[in-house]
Amino acid sequence: MNLKEFARTLGLSQTTVSRALGGYPEVSAATRKRVQAEAVRLGYAPNRGAQRLATGRAMAIGHVVPLGPNPDIVNPIFADFLAGAGETCAAAKYEMVIAVTRHGEEADAYREMAMKGSVDGVIVHSPQIEDGRIALLRDIGLPFLVHGRSSGVDAPYSWFDVNNRRAFFRATRFLTDLGHERIALINGPEEMDFAHRRRLGYEEALLEVGLTVDETIMTSDEMTEPYGYRAACAALQTAVRPTAFLVSSIISAMGVRRAIVDAGLAPGRDVSIVTHDDDLSYLSNRGDVPLFTATRSSIRAAGRRCGELLIRMIAAGEGAPPVTELWESELTLGVSTGPAPQ
Amino acid sequence: MNLKEFARTLGLSQTTVSRALGGYPEVSAATRKRVQAEAVRLGYAPNRGAQRLATGRAMAIGHVVPLGPNPDIVNPIFADFLAGAGETCAAAKYEMVIAVTRHGEEADAYREMAMKGSVDGVIVHSPQIEDGRIALLRDIGLPFLVHGRSSGVDAPYSWFDVNNRRAFFRATRFLTDLGHERIALINGPEEMDFAHRRRLGYEEALLEVGLTVDETIMTSDEMTEPYGYRAACAALQTAVRPTAFLVSSIISAMGVRRAIVDAGLAPGRDVSIVTHDDDLSYLSNRGDVPLFTATRSSIRAAGRRCGELLIRMIAAGEGAPPVTELWESELTLGVSTGPAPQ
DNA sequence: ACAATTGCCCAAAGCGCTTTCAATATCTCA
DNA sequence: TGAGATATTGAAAGCGCTTTGGGCAATTGT
């Protein structure tokens, strides 16, 4: 069923039908109602391709998802982020198209999306400290919102981020307040901007209380469970073992916890853990007494908000100033922390 | 830059340029090469909307992702599945569009995709035992491939599945061979077809060796980590506690393991665990000695294959017979299992 | 009562592409 | 050498929609 047929069965012109469905005011309420009802009854909806061609807008946003650098790892937070963005998009009648690329090959995906006009804007995932995608997208002229930031980029751009630095600063201070002096950092890949910022917050807090920053108890890798386990095992076997771990992902934190237990130690008593918690639905750290003390920030809510901001940017058009938004994460108390053992 | 301009700068007709880029044979090799080179240099690619309108094909496949029934849970395997499907799509020049819907509201999403012509086919995720989506999609006439099966649907349809029943049959027999007689089943939501099938395999194996099926040590819920923990805690507190757990997801298995350790028991010695392992990149159960004994089947590979099959179906057109494919999962030995304690 | 407005609707142009049909130039083979 | 086949290119007709630029009644203001 196409517009021509549909309009004919209604005894109306294509113009009127299109306007009735599109919500334009030049249609009487009665006509609009009838058109909408018949559209549902007969199963008519305007063809997206034709609509795109006629309006020049794709009514879609894109996600280019880079796989992890080493093995092809998919960031597990992505599913939840997507669910959040999806809610916003559905409400705004936008589609989401996603492209998965190997690490470092995102550029082509962006260029193609722009050239083919398959999306009106994109969300940039997993920004690195020096991220060339930002300059690229500006050159291309495709509206974009970075989920995170890129410390190495000076020119203004639109981003949404969580205050990672302050979160890890607070988390570290929380541990030092409890008397911990040897705090291991199990961080994400250091070329990632978020990991960089978390490290800065951690170091800043240590220095503030006169502790030394010790490179040997800081690790950085793709945030898997086995990584957390391995890193923690290694740290626990050193001569002066850490009394606390600060971990960048709840998934790795599970591994850290396992290592602690395997070593015959009690999490929260012998060794403390604070982790960042993206509030993933399947690894919930909520409940009466959360398993982990954590800096929590819902990745799903972030997805929702990123969708909103990007769609607003697209509506605003080229000239509008960049939007930026920084959320604070909450520090929630769980059973994984306690005073440093004497 | 559009075709008209691009063709003019090349001194060729739109026809020839379109054909050169589209890979049609009626163009001389020299011309094609020149056109392709200039397209890259000048940054021209055919507009997707126009292409869709002209060809009637969207060159896109859709994923309608239902959130979990109770809280809005996103199945964590989805990110990996998508990465797999994305590889295939990228290679075949297909786009992927995804829609996230609340549980039970998928129908509208499918209808809309079909009516608007935004995709050429869809992958049906998380099929239930009685899944109305299959009949719906057949009525609509939108090509679809089910990832999994729906036991309650008789009419033929295309699906890709893992042999869940045999996997859990083998896993259970593996445990009974080790002398376990009280094996708890920590399953996914029972309305899900995969969970149903896994339960059948489990029961079949128990009956085969003369053990009774005990409903009180079988649980069924959204497969989160806390669920595994809670379920295992409860099971371990019963009068005759199970000596082994069979778990439907490695994420819940982490929770089960935690419960066992918390109870002062040793996984693999006091209590065994076998889990299904989707081979998620961030919860790798590989390595020299895997943490869990598991029925393993890569969800990423499944995504790749589903993409292939669906694209092939789309190419084959309406009349073609349904495609079906069943993969066996491998039973890998980890350190989470051992002989039943006396 | 008449002009000006408003409300509602329509015809037709055009978005950028693919593809049919036709034309021309070049080969092939007897 | 000339007829038929082949290789290569073009002109133009849509694909299904939105939107501009009217047109005709009914309503309003004076």
Side-chain angles (χ1 to χ4, degrees), chain B residues 60-63 81 84-89 91-92 94 96 120-124 142-149 157-162 300-318 320-327:
Chain B
I61 68 170
H63 298 266
F81 183 92
E87 287 176 49
T88 308
C89 285
Y94 269 71
M96 291 200 306
D120 299 318
V122 291
I123 289 178
V124 174
L142 186 63
F144 66 98
L145 175 76
V146 181
H147 176 216
R149 275 173 287 176
Y157 58 90
S158 295
W159 52 263
F160 169 93
D161 202 2
V162 159
R300 177 115 169 236
R304 244 185 322 250
R305 186 63 178 149
C306 284
E308 276 172 31
L309 292 175
L310 180 56
I311 289 175
R312 190 175 302 171
M313 284 171 59
I314 291 168
E318 287 282 321
V323 311
T324 63
E325 192 162 309
L326 187 64
W327 281 9

Side-chain angles (χ1 to χ4, degrees), chain A residues 62-67 78 99-111 122-150 152-153 156-158 191-194:
Chain A
H63 298 265
V64 176
V65 188
L67 296 171
F78 185 62
V100 185
T101 69
R102 270 190 301 250
H103 181 75
E105 298 181 7
E106 302 97 332
D108 288 336
Y110 287 122
R111 277 209 201 81
V122 292
I123 289 177
V124 174
H125 291 273
S126 310
Q128 309 202 358
I129 299 176
E130 300 281 349
D131 206 308
R133 291 178 290 174
I134 292 170
L136 172 73
L137 283 165
R138 195 185 4 245
D139 288 353
I140 291 178
L142 186 64
F144 66 97
L145 176 76
V146 180
H147 176 216
R149 277 173 285 176
S150 182
V153 173
Y157 58 90
S158 295
E191 65 271 28
M192 294 292 150
D193 196 76
F194 79 89

Side-chain angles (χ1 to χ4, degrees), chain A:
Chain A
M1 165 91 56
N2 61 22
L3 178 57
K4 200 158 149 189
E5 289 166 40
F6 181 57
R8 194 163 40 214
T9 68
L10 284 172
L12 288 169
S13 72
Q14 300 187 30
T15 312
T16 304
V17 173
S18 173
R19 286 208 265 238
L21 257 27
Y24 289 83
E26 311 93 326
V27 185
S28 74
T31 306
R32 164 165 295 124
K33 205 162 169 184
R34 186 163 73 97
V35 172
Q36 284 171 339
E38 288 295 275
V40 170
R41 196 173 69 81
L42 300 175
Y44 168 76
N47 178 284
R48 258 283 150 77
Q51 233 168 1
R52 287 184 178 189
L53 185 54
T55 60
R57 272 167 290 124
M59 290 303 281
I61 69 168
H63 298 265
V64 176
V65 188
L67 296 171
N70 309 330
D72 280 354
I73 283 192
V74 195
N75 195 331
I77 66 168
F78 185 62
D80 268 77
F81 183 93
L82 218 56
E87 288 177 47
T88 307
C89 285
K93 303 276 177 217
Y94 268 71
E95 286 178 0
M96 291 201 305
V97 355
I98 95 142
V100 185
T101 69
R102 270 190 301 250
H103 181 75
E105 298 181 7
E106 302 97 332
D108 288 336
Y110 287 122
R111 277 209 201 81
E112 219 175 279
M113 282 185 171
M115 289 193 307
K116 300 182 102 51
S118 31
V119 300
D120 299 317
V122 292
I123 289 177
V124 174
H125 291 273
S126 310
Q128 309 202 358
I129 299 176
E130 300 281 349
D131 206 308
R133 291 178 290 174
I134 292 170
L136 172 73
L137 283 165
R138 195 185 4 245
D139 288 353
I140 291 178
L142 186 64
F144 66 97
L145 176 76
V146 180
H147 176 216
R149 277 173 285 176
S150 182
S151 302
V153 173
D154 282 332
Y157 58 90
S158 295
W159 51 262
F160 169 94
D161 201 3
V162 157
N163 197 338
N164 282 301
R165 181 172 177 154
R166 184 173 300 164
F168 267 40
F169 173 84
R170 287 182 64 203
T172 308
R173 281 307 309 274
F174 173 77
L175 287 168
T176 60
D177 285 351
L178 284 168
H180 293 276
E181 299 190 334
R182 206 159 161 72
I183 303 168
L185 176 68
I186 312 295
N187 208 354
E190 291 245 330
E191 65 271 28
M192 294 292 150
D193 196 76
F194 79 89
H196 176 63
R197 290 190 130 92
R198 286 180 188 172
R199 176 175 169 159
L200 290 181
Y202 159 82
E203 292 180 349
E204 191 182 354
L206 289 182
L207 293 174
E208 194 173 283
V209 295
L211 292 169
T212 54
V213 173
D214 182 355
E215 295 271 346
T216 64
I217 51 171
M218 294 162 57
T219 63
S220 156
D221 202 350
E222 216 58 66
M223 300 175 294
T224 65
E225 200 273 351
Y227 157 57
Y229 181 75
R230 280 196 313 273
C233 281
L236 291 172
Q237 276 164 5
T238 55
V240 197
R241 69 158 196 251
T243 62
F245 286 90
L246 181 54
V247 191
S248 245
S249 143
I250 200 165
I251 293 176
S252 301
M254 307 276 324
V256 170
R257 191 178 185 286
R258 181 159 65 92
I260 292 170
V261 173
D262 272 13
L265 301 166
R269 203 187 58 215
D270 301 323
V271 184
S272 291
I273 309 174
V274 179
T275 182
H276 185 73
D277 173 13
D278 292 296
D279 207 13
L280 302 178
S281 46
Y282 46 95
L283 279 174
S284 169
N285 190 43
R286 296 185 174 269
D288 305 335
V289 187
L291 183 57
F292 292 108
T293 297
T295 57
R296 182 197 290 154
S297 182
S298 163
I299 197 74
R300 177 116 169 236
R304 243 184 322 249
R305 186 63 178 151
C306 284
E308 276 173 30
L309 292 175
L310 180 57
I311 289 176
R312 190 174 305 172
M313 283 171 60
I314 291 168
E318 288 283 321
V323 311
T324 62
E325 191 162 309
L326 187 64
W327 281 9
E328 294 298 330
S329 45
E330 43 181 340
L331 187 54
T332 60
L333 227 63
V335 294
S336 67
T337 46
Q342 297 311 313

Side-chain angles (χ1 to χ4, degrees), chain B:
Chain B
M1 165 92 56
N2 61 22
L3 177 57
K4 199 158 152 190
E5 289 166 40
F6 181 57
R8 193 163 39 214
T9 68
L10 284 172
L12 287 169
S13 73
Q14 301 187 28
T15 312
T16 304
V17 173
S18 173
R19 285 207 268 238
L21 258 26
Y24 289 82
E26 312 93 325
V27 183
S28 73
T31 306
R32 164 166 294 125
K33 206 162 169 184
R34 186 164 72 97
V35 171
Q36 284 171 340
E38 288 294 275
V40 171
R41 195 172 69 81
L42 299 175
Y44 169 77
N47 177 284
R48 258 283 151 78
Q51 234 168 0
R52 288 186 176 186
L53 186 54
T55 61
R57 272 167 289 123
M59 290 302 281
I61 68 170
H63 298 266
V64 176
V65 188
L67 296 171
N70 308 330
D72 280 356
I73 282 191
V74 194
N75 196 331
I77 66 169
F78 185 62
D80 268 77
F81 183 92
L82 217 57
E87 287 176 49
T88 308
C89 285
K93 302 273 177 220
Y94 269 71
E95 286 177 359
M96 291 200 306
V97 355
I98 97 143
V100 185
T101 69
R102 271 189 300 249
H103 181 75
E105 300 181 6
E106 303 95 334
D108 289 335
Y110 287 122
R111 277 209 201 82
E112 218 175 281
M113 282 185 172
M115 289 192 308
K116 300 181 102 53
S118 32
V119 300
D120 299 318
V122 291
I123 289 178
V124 174
H125 292 272
S126 311
Q128 311 202 356
I129 299 177
E130 300 281 350
D131 206 309
R133 290 178 290 174
I134 292 170
L136 172 73
L137 284 164
R138 195 185 6 246
D139 289 352
I140 291 178
L142 186 63
F144 66 98
L145 175 76
V146 181
H147 176 216
R149 275 173 287 176
S150 181
S151 302
V153 173
D154 282 331
Y157 58 90
S158 295
W159 52 263
F160 169 93
D161 202 2
V162 159
N163 197 335
N164 282 301
R165 181 172 177 152
R166 184 174 299 163
F168 267 39
F169 174 84
R170 288 181 64 202
T172 308
R173 282 307 308 274
F174 174 77
L175 286 167
T176 60
D177 285 351
L178 284 168
H180 293 276
E181 299 191 333
R182 205 159 163 72
I183 303 169
L185 176 67
I186 311 294
N187 208 354
E190 291 244 330
E191 65 271 28
M192 294 291 150
D193 196 74
F194 79 90
H196 177 64
R197 291 191 130 91
R198 286 181 188 171
R199 176 175 168 160
L200 290 180
Y202 159 81
E203 292 180 349
E204 192 182 355
L206 290 181
L207 293 173
E208 194 174 282
V209 295
L211 292 170
T212 54
V213 172
D214 182 355
E215 295 271 348
T216 64
I217 51 172
M218 294 161 57
T219 63
S220 156
D221 203 349
E222 215 60 64
M223 300 176 295
T224 64
E225 200 272 353
Y227 158 57
Y229 181 76
R230 279 195 313 271
C233 281
L236 291 173
Q237 276 165 4
T238 56
V240 198
R241 68 157 198 250
T243 62
F245 287 90
L246 181 54
V247 191
S248 246
S249 143
I250 200 166
I251 292 175
S252 300
M254 307 277 322
V256 170
R257 191 179 186 286
R258 181 157 67 91
I260 292 170
V261 173
D262 272 13
L265 301 166
R269 202 186 60 213
D270 301 322
V271 184
S272 290
I273 308 174
V274 179
T275 183
H276 185 73
D277 173 14
D278 292 297
D279 207 13
L280 302 178
S281 46
Y282 47 94
L283 280 174
S284 170
N285 190 42
R286 295 185 174 271
D288 304 336
V289 187
L291 182 57
F292 292 108
T293 296
T295 57
R296 182 197 291 155
S297 183
S298 163
I299 197 74
R300 177 115 169 236
R304 244 185 322 250
R305 186 63 178 149
C306 284
E308 276 172 31
L309 292 175
L310 180 56
I311 289 175
R312 190 175 302 171
M313 284 171 59
I314 291 168
E318 287 282 321
V323 311
T324 63
E325 192 162 309
L326 187 64
W327 281 9
E328 295 297 332
S329 45
E330 43 180 340
L331 188 54
T332 60
L333 226 63
V335 295
S336 67
T337 47
Q342 297 310 311

